[in-house]
Amino acid sequence: MKYGHTLIAICLVAAGCGDSRPASLIGPTTVTGPTAAVGEYTLSGTIRDLDGVPLAGVTVAIAQPSGEQSVVSDAQGRYSLHSVNGLIYLRASKEGYFESSATRFVAGDQVVDITLSALLVLVPGTTLRGTVRGDPCDPVGWDARAPCQRIFFTAPSSGMLDLVLTWNGPSELDVLVDGQYFDPPPVLGEIHARVHVAPGSRHEIRINSYYSPQAFELRSEFQSQP
């Protein structure tokens, strides 16, 4: 297990530190800035996925002292919010992607580009391949430098889920399933995890990489239990 000591004051969460929810604003109802910002400004930028492809249809919403507003990114992934002032809570969301959020103080026109990570869903009993390259899942309490990949799965019934994570590369990986940490075994490049899962609930797997993007394969077997 790795621990970091870097304090993150402002965090745009891609891979993942937020979860996927409907495109609605969840944030403070009242926000105040460190100093009063004079004037009204424009907040704009481009939203892309991890491959740099612009994303259309992303809802970008803010809460600020004067109220709330939202826009939807265009075909080129661009968005623009006007009459922005002071401390704001910014949130970007799109179905099929992890939510991105940040708190910023606006005292002038700003360009804020946002990267969203696609949701990965594991079907128990199948193999999933991908690359750990998203933002840290827990940049304050875990490791602020470690790329992270979040994966969700829903068990069809109560039972045991066996996971085998393998990779071939210079980065060390570790795994958490619903917050339970699994130490890498002596054999480099392979981690086994066995967990009991409940039916109907969404479970979460987190894969952390130390400290560069790393391709992986995640095999799963599900054994139903009465």
Side-chain angles (χ1 to χ4, degrees):
M1 182 181 298
K2 308 284 186 178
Y3 293 93
H5 301 283
T6 304
L7 178 64
I8 303 299
I10 297 174
C11 173
L12 279 178
V13 185
C17 299
D19 57 3
S20 178
R21 309 181 209 174
S24 59
L25 179 64
I26 297 179
T29 56
T30 303
V31 289
T32 57
T35 59
V38 179
E40 294 183 338
Y41 308 101
T42 297
L43 185 71
S44 61
T46 303
I47 304 174
R48 299 180 175 88
D49 65 14
L50 288 175
D51 294 317
V53 178
L55 291 176
V58 178
T59 298
V60 182
I62 63 169
Q64 59 182 347
S66 61
E68 302 176 359
Q69 60 170 306
S70 64
V71 295
V72 176
S73 61
D74 63 17
Q76 287 74 45
R78 297 174 301 197
Y79 74 93
S80 184
L81 291 157
H82 304 284
S83 301
V84 181
N85 176 286
L87 187 67
I88 66 166
Y89 179 81
L90 171 69
R91 177 176 170 183
S93 58
K94 178 180 173 67
E95 185 177 357
Y97 290 82
F98 289 110
E99 179 185 289
S100 175
S101 62
T103 301
R104 305 182 67 91
F105 186 77
V106 178
D109 293 342
Q110 291 188 19
V111 175
V112 179
D113 295 328
I114 301 171
T115 300
L116 296 185
S117 299
L119 282 169
L120 285 184
V121 177
L122 173 70
V123 178
T126 65
T127 297
L128 181 67
R129 296 175 179 86
T131 301
V132 183
R133 56 176 177 168
D135 286 345
C137 288
D138 188 357
V140 176
W142 194 251
D143 195 320
R145 297 180 297 152
C148 180
Q149 177 63 62
R150 301 174 69 195
I151 302 166
F152 294 103
F153 68 92
T154 301
S157 61
S158 178
M160 298 299 298
L161 181 68
D162 290 294
L163 299 170
V164 180
L165 175 70
T166 57
W167 70 98
N168 182 16
S171 295
E172 177 186 342
L173 302 185
D174 63 21
V175 174
L176 294 92
V177 182
D178 291 338
Q180 181 181 354
Y181 176 76
F182 291 89
D183 290 300
V187 179
L188 183 64
E190 187 170 300
I191 298 176
H192 293 251
R194 182 177 173 86
V195 293
H196 182 271
V197 293
S201 300
R202 188 175 76 164
H203 301 273
E204 182 188 61
I205 302 167
R206 291 186 180 184
I207 305 175
N208 298 289
S209 175
Y210 305 97
Y211 287 96
S212 61
Q214 177 62 58
F216 68 88
E217 179 179 279
L218 183 65
R219 303 193 304 272
S220 66
E221 292 185 4
F222 180 72
Q223 298 177 353
S224 181
Q225 294 180 344

